[in-house]
């Protein structure tokens, strides 16, 4: 599989925003209102926010890209297809529930982990997670934590498979709704 995983740079802004907006709704509970999801995209996952994160050393965004060999042969400038991304955020958690739950420090948050729905179950998420854990390790932390909606069975199964144990719970605000997340942690030592 011609899959490349690399750290995103500011010039990747369009690709990062596109994959983020395509995939965020997939992580929401089935009963989350479409208008709340749209508001989150418009107010939180903005171009400006991603531009700032891409320019900040404490945010590590990895892109998974698939090369289409046929398209590349037909056109010199055929761009790879962005099929997933992750974002790590360095620093002590600001959420009190998370700070109380995690057991390993220093830590880093796996804040985003998303694969294009056309490529689920194909091993891309596995490769992306492996590269993300390597990037976390290289940043010098002893553990990685994440929050995941407690109704997101697929993601919970995926994180469990990759060694992220449930260590607590937290809430997540989606517009006017308060969603319930598991806090999961993977020790790197
Ligand atoms: C989470 C995500 C990155 C995982 O990638 P993936 O390619 O789906 O991962 P995998 O197929 O390797 O693993 C998913 C596991 O859940 C299982 N699964 C699939 N649907 C499921 C369901 N409805 N309930 C429970 N488990 C389910 C799969 O069988 C697989 O387990 P297995 O390998 O033991 O068979 C991807 O599904 C995704 O992008 N989801 C949408 C965005 C999201 O929810 N991100 C997480 C935000 S915290």
């Amino acid at each position: 599989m011609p899959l490349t995983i690399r750290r995103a740079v500011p010039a990747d802004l369009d690709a990062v925003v596109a994959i983020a907006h395509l995939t965020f709704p997939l992580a929401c509970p089935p009963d989350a209102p479409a208008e709340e999801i749209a508001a989150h995209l418009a107010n939180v996952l903005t171009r400006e926010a991603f531009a700032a994160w891409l320019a900040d050393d404490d945010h590590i965004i990895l892109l998974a890209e698939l090369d289409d060999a046929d398209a590349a042969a037909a056109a010199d400038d055929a761009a790879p297809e962005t099929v997933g991304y992750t974002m790590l955020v360095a620093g002590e958690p600001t959420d009190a529930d998370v700070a109380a739950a995690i057991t390993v420090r220093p830590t880093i948050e796996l804040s985003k982990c998303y694969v294009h729905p056309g490529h689920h179950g194909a091993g891309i998420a596995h490769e992306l997670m492996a590269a993300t854990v390597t990037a976390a390790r290289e940043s010098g932390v002893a553990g990685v934590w994440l929050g995941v909606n407690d109704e997101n069975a697929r993601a919970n199964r995926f994180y469990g498979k990759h060694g992220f144990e449930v260590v607590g719970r937290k809430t997540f605000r989606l517009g006017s709704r308060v969603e319930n997340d598991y806090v999961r942690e993977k020790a790197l030592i």
Side-chain angles (χ1 to χ4, degrees):
M1 184 169 48
L3 177 70
T4 302
I5 295 168
R6 65 175 176 88
R7 184 161 181 178
V9 296
D12 295 311
L13 180 60
D14 287 347
V16 175
V17 172
I19 190 77
H21 283 213
L22 177 76
T23 54
F24 176 74
L26 307 173
C28 297
D31 63 345
E35 55 273 22
E36 300 284 22
I37 296 174
H40 190 83
L41 296 180
N43 301 324
V44 181
L45 298 181
T46 62
R47 275 185 75 77
E48 292 70 21
F50 276 104
W53 295 333
L54 283 165
D56 175 15
D57 285 346
D58 284 341
H59 291 72
I60 301 171
I61 298 179
L62 296 186
L63 287 182
E65 295 175 326
L66 271 184
D67 274 319
D68 180 338
D70 293 337
D76 286 345
D77 61 349
E81 181 193 4
T82 302
V83 290
Y85 82 109
T86 55
M87 183 167 86
L88 292 163
V89 183
E92 177 66 15
T94 53
D95 183 301
D97 292 334
V98 176
I102 62 169
T103 64
V104 187
R105 287 180 169 85
T107 191
I108 196 166
E109 179 185 6
L110 175 54
S111 164
K112 310 196 186 306
C113 178
Y114 292 88
V115 167
H116 187 295
H119 296 279
H120 290 177
I124 287 171
H126 173 82
E127 297 296 329
L128 184 57
M129 178 59 86
T132 303
V133 169
T134 297
R137 203 183 289 279
E138 288 173 355
S139 80
V141 296
V144 186
W145 73 271
L146 62 85
V148 53
N149 193 274
D150 61 6
E151 294 181 45
N152 191 341
R154 181 163 196 143
N156 274 291
R157 170 105 189 125
F158 173 76
Y159 292 135
K161 266 194 323 189
H162 285 83
F164 286 85
E165 306 290 345
V166 175
V167 293
R169 300 187 73 108
K170 72 174 187 68
T171 54
F172 172 80
R173 184 161 283 283
L174 181 65
S176 59
R177 286 164 58 103
V178 176
E179 305 290 348
N180 296 302
D181 284 1
Y182 290 122
V183 178
R184 287 179 173 268
E185 180 180 47
K186 178 183 176 76
L188 300 180
I189 45 172

